[in-house]
Amino acid sequence: MFIGDQFISMRITKCIHLHQFSEIESLAKIIWTEHYTLIIGAEQVAYMLDKFQSVAAMQKQVAEGYEYYLIYDGEKAVGYFSILPEKEGLFLSKIYVLAEMRGKGFGRKAMEYLEQQTIQRGLKSIRLTVNKFNTKSIEAYLKMGFEKVRPVVFDIGQGFIMDDFEMKKTLGQE
Protein backbone atom coordinates (compact mmCIF):
# COMPACT_ATOMS: atom_id res chain seq x y z
CA MET A 1 0.00 0.00 0.00
CA PHE A 2 1.29 3.47 -0.88
CA ILE A 3 0.76 6.40 1.48
CA GLY A 4 1.98 9.49 -0.35
CA ASP A 5 5.24 8.32 -1.89
CA GLN A 6 5.95 5.69 0.77
CA PHE A 7 5.12 2.00 0.60
CA ILE A 8 3.92 0.39 3.80
CA SER A 9 3.17 -3.26 4.31
CA MET A 10 0.67 -3.04 7.14
CA ARG A 11 -1.20 -5.83 8.81
CA ILE A 12 -3.28 -6.00 11.95
CA THR A 13 -3.32 -9.10 14.15
CA LYS A 14 -5.67 -9.85 17.04
CA CYS A 15 -3.66 -10.77 20.14
CA ILE A 16 -4.41 -14.08 21.81
CA HIS A 17 -0.95 -15.37 22.78
CA LEU A 18 1.18 -14.41 25.77
CA HIS A 19 4.13 -13.41 23.53
CA GLN A 20 1.86 -10.90 21.74
CA PHE A 21 0.90 -9.25 25.04
CA SER A 22 4.59 -9.15 25.98
CA GLU A 23 5.29 -7.41 22.69
CA ILE A 24 2.59 -4.83 23.45
CA GLU A 25 4.01 -4.30 26.94
CA SER A 26 7.41 -3.54 25.38
CA LEU A 27 5.90 -1.19 22.79
CA ALA A 28 3.87 0.58 25.48
CA LYS A 29 6.95 1.25 27.57
CA ILE A 30 8.71 2.87 24.60
CA ILE A 31 5.71 4.84 23.33
CA TRP A 32 4.35 5.99 26.67
CA THR A 33 7.73 7.05 28.05
CA GLU A 34 8.50 9.07 24.92
CA HIS A 35 5.06 10.60 24.44
CA TYR A 36 3.45 11.03 27.84
CA THR A 37 6.32 11.89 30.21
CA LEU A 38 6.14 15.58 29.25
CA ILE A 39 2.33 15.57 29.53
CA ILE A 40 1.71 13.68 32.80
CA GLY A 41 5.16 13.09 34.28
CA ALA A 42 7.40 10.03 34.66
CA GLU A 43 5.81 8.84 37.90
CA GLN A 44 2.29 8.69 36.45
CA VAL A 45 3.59 7.09 33.24
CA ALA A 46 5.23 4.29 35.26
CA TYR A 47 2.07 3.82 37.33
CA MET A 48 -0.19 3.68 34.26
CA LEU A 49 2.10 1.28 32.40
CA ASP A 50 1.91 -1.12 35.33
CA LYS A 51 -1.82 -0.63 35.95
CA PHE A 52 -3.04 -0.71 32.33
CA GLN A 53 -0.29 -1.98 30.00
CA SER A 54 1.41 -4.85 31.82
CA VAL A 55 0.80 -8.36 30.53
CA ALA A 56 -1.25 -9.18 33.65
CA ALA A 57 -3.36 -6.02 33.27
CA MET A 58 -4.04 -6.76 29.60
CA GLN A 59 -5.02 -10.36 30.35
CA LYS A 60 -7.48 -9.08 32.97
CA GLN A 61 -8.90 -6.59 30.45
CA VAL A 62 -9.31 -9.34 27.83
CA ALA A 63 -11.25 -11.40 30.39
CA GLU A 64 -13.53 -8.34 30.79
CA GLY A 65 -14.24 -8.18 27.02
CA TYR A 66 -11.44 -5.98 25.68
CA GLU A 67 -9.65 -6.99 22.49
CA TYR A 68 -6.02 -6.15 21.73
CA TYR A 69 -4.46 -5.87 18.27
CA LEU A 70 -0.88 -5.42 17.07
CA ILE A 71 -0.10 -3.21 14.06
CA TYR A 72 2.77 -4.49 11.91
CA ASP A 73 4.91 -2.97 9.19
CA GLY A 74 6.05 -6.15 7.48
CA GLU A 75 7.24 -8.31 10.37
CA LYS A 76 7.95 -5.42 12.77
CA ALA A 77 5.36 -4.46 15.39
CA VAL A 78 4.98 -0.67 15.16
CA GLY A 79 1.89 -0.07 17.26
CA TYR A 80 -1.19 -1.48 18.92
CA PHE A 81 -4.75 -0.72 19.88
CA SER A 82 -7.42 -2.02 22.20
CA ILE A 83 -11.20 -1.93 21.84
CA LEU A 84 -14.25 -2.80 23.90
CA PRO A 85 -17.54 -3.46 22.13
CA GLU A 86 -20.36 -1.60 23.88
CA LYS A 87 -24.13 -1.59 23.36
CA GLU A 88 -24.25 1.12 20.68
CA GLY A 89 -20.64 1.51 19.64
CA LEU A 90 -17.03 0.55 19.93
CA PHE A 91 -14.89 2.04 22.70
CA LEU A 92 -11.34 2.64 21.46
CA SER A 93 -9.43 2.23 24.71
CA LYS A 94 -5.93 2.60 23.28
CA ILE A 95 -4.23 3.32 19.98
CA TYR A 96 -0.49 3.94 19.86
CA VAL A 97 2.18 3.96 17.14
CA LEU A 98 5.94 4.24 17.59
CA ALA A 99 7.17 7.83 17.18
CA GLU A 100 9.32 7.03 14.13
CA MET A 101 6.31 5.44 12.40
CA ARG A 102 3.84 8.28 13.01
CA GLY A 103 2.75 10.27 9.99
CA LYS A 104 3.20 7.27 7.70
CA GLY A 105 -0.44 6.16 7.60
CA PHE A 106 -0.43 3.42 10.23
CA GLY A 107 -2.78 5.21 12.62
CA ARG A 108 -5.11 6.25 9.83
CA LYS A 109 -5.26 2.74 8.37
CA ALA A 110 -5.87 1.31 11.86
CA MET A 111 -8.78 3.75 12.27
CA GLU A 112 -10.20 2.64 8.91
CA TYR A 113 -9.96 -0.96 10.14
CA LEU A 114 -11.79 0.05 13.34
CA GLU A 115 -14.54 1.73 11.34
CA GLN A 116 -14.98 -1.47 9.30
CA GLN A 117 -15.09 -3.53 12.51
CA THR A 118 -17.68 -1.17 13.99
CA ILE A 119 -19.94 -1.50 10.97
CA GLN A 120 -19.45 -5.29 10.69
CA ARG A 121 -20.48 -5.65 14.33
CA GLY A 122 -23.67 -3.68 13.69
CA LEU A 123 -22.51 -0.78 15.85
CA LYS A 124 -22.98 2.90 15.08
CA SER A 125 -20.08 4.83 16.57
CA ILE A 126 -16.53 4.85 17.92
CA ARG A 127 -15.89 6.50 21.25
CA LEU A 128 -12.54 7.30 22.87
CA THR A 129 -10.92 9.40 25.58
CA VAL A 130 -7.81 11.49 25.04
CA ASN A 131 -5.72 13.55 27.44
CA LYS A 132 -6.73 17.23 27.25
CA PHE A 133 -3.09 18.24 26.71
CA ASN A 134 -2.43 15.68 23.96
CA THR A 135 -3.06 18.33 21.31
CA LYS A 136 -1.58 16.51 18.31
CA SER A 137 -3.77 13.47 18.91
CA ILE A 138 -6.85 15.64 19.43
CA GLU A 139 -6.14 17.42 16.13
CA ALA A 140 -5.74 14.07 14.36
CA TYR A 141 -9.03 12.75 15.77
CA LEU A 142 -10.85 15.93 14.72
CA LYS A 143 -9.47 15.54 11.17
CA MET A 144 -10.77 11.94 11.15
CA GLY A 145 -14.30 13.12 11.94
CA PHE A 146 -14.41 12.76 15.72
CA GLU A 147 -16.14 15.41 17.80
CA LYS A 148 -15.48 16.43 21.38
CA VAL A 149 -18.39 15.22 23.50
CA ARG A 150 -17.42 16.32 27.00
CA PRO A 151 -14.53 16.63 29.44
CA VAL A 152 -14.05 13.61 31.72
CA VAL A 153 -11.88 13.14 34.78
CA PHE A 154 -11.06 9.68 36.14
CA ASP A 155 -9.41 8.89 39.46
CA ILE A 156 -7.03 6.04 38.62
CA GLY A 157 -5.60 5.57 42.10
CA GLN A 158 -2.49 6.56 44.05
CA GLY A 159 -3.37 10.24 43.70
CA PHE A 160 -3.33 10.19 39.88
CA ILE A 161 -6.13 11.29 37.58
CA MET A 162 -6.80 11.10 33.88
CA ASP A 163 -7.98 14.53 32.68
CA ASP A 164 -9.44 13.78 29.26
CA PHE A 165 -11.89 14.69 26.57
CA GLU A 166 -14.38 12.08 25.45
CA MET A 167 -14.61 12.11 21.65
CA LYS A 168 -17.00 10.28 19.35
CA LYS A 169 -17.37 9.54 15.67
CA THR A 170 -20.76 8.49 14.35
CA LEU A 171 -20.77 6.11 11.41
CA GLY A 172 -23.88 6.42 9.25
CA GLN A 173 -27.07 7.43 11.02
CA GLU A 174 -27.67 6.87 14.73
Side-chain angles (χ1 to χ4, degrees):
M1 158 182 44
F2 280 94
I3 302 290
D5 61 352
Q6 291 186 288
F7 179 77
I8 63 170
S9 172
M10 181 180 142
R11 68 183 164 89
I12 294 173
T13 303
K14 186 174 183 180
C15 300
I16 56 174
H17 300 291
L18 185 61
H19 71 88
Q20 293 169 312
F21 293 105
S22 294
E23 194 160 18
I24 290 173
E25 183 179 65
S26 297
L27 279 171
K29 193 170 288 185
I30 294 165
I31 295 167
W32 276 62
T33 301
E34 176 270 328
H35 188 77
Y36 285 105
T37 299
L38 291 174
I39 297 173
I40 61 174
E43 191 177 350
Q44 185 168 343
V45 166
Y47 174 75
M48 291 180 72
L49 283 170
D50 182 58
K51 184 171 178 74
F52 300 114
Q53 300 290 237
S54 66
V55 170
M58 286 183 275
Q59 288 177 318
K60 181 177 184 245
Q61 291 165 32
V62 168
E64 295 168 350
Y66 286 82
E67 301 170 15
Y68 273 84
Y69 296 81
L70 276 162
I71 303 168
Y72 288 92
D73 178 21
E75 296 303 311
K76 180 184 177 191
V78 298
Y80 67 99
F81 59 89
S82 174
I83 58 174
L84 176 66
E86 298 176 321
K87 184 178 180 183
E88 294 293 320
L90 203 63
F91 175 58
L92 176 56
S93 175
K94 300 161 186 69
I95 183 166
Y96 301 106
V97 176
L98 289 168
E100 66 268 19
M101 303 309 284
R102 290 184 204 136
K104 297 184 179 185
F106 291 99
R108 185 168 49 86
K109 295 306 284 182
M111 290 301 286
E112 289 172 9
Y113 175 86
L114 287 167
E115 288 180 18
Q116 291 170 357
Q117 284 293 306
T118 302
I119 292 165
Q120 287 174 2
R121 295 170 189 231
L123 302 173
K124 299 176 182 175
S125 63
I126 301 172
R127 183 177 73 83
L128 59 86
T129 58
V130 58
N131 184 284
K132 288 178 183 174
F133 302 103
N134 193 352
T135 55
K136 287 185 181 181
S137 294
I138 292 169
E139 287 173 21
Y141 292 136
L142 290 170
K143 284 180 185 175
M144 287 185 258
F146 283 82
E147 296 178 355
K148 288 182 188 174
V149 175
R150 63 189 171 114
V152 291
V153 177
F154 302 101
D155 181 341
I156 58 170
Q158 295 204 353
F160 296 115
I161 62 163
M162 290 188 349
D163 190 9
D164 293 355
F165 286 120
E166 179 178 328
M167 299 183 78
K168 182 178 180 181
K169 180 175 184 175
T170 301
L171 305 173
Q173 298 295 325
E174 273 201 279

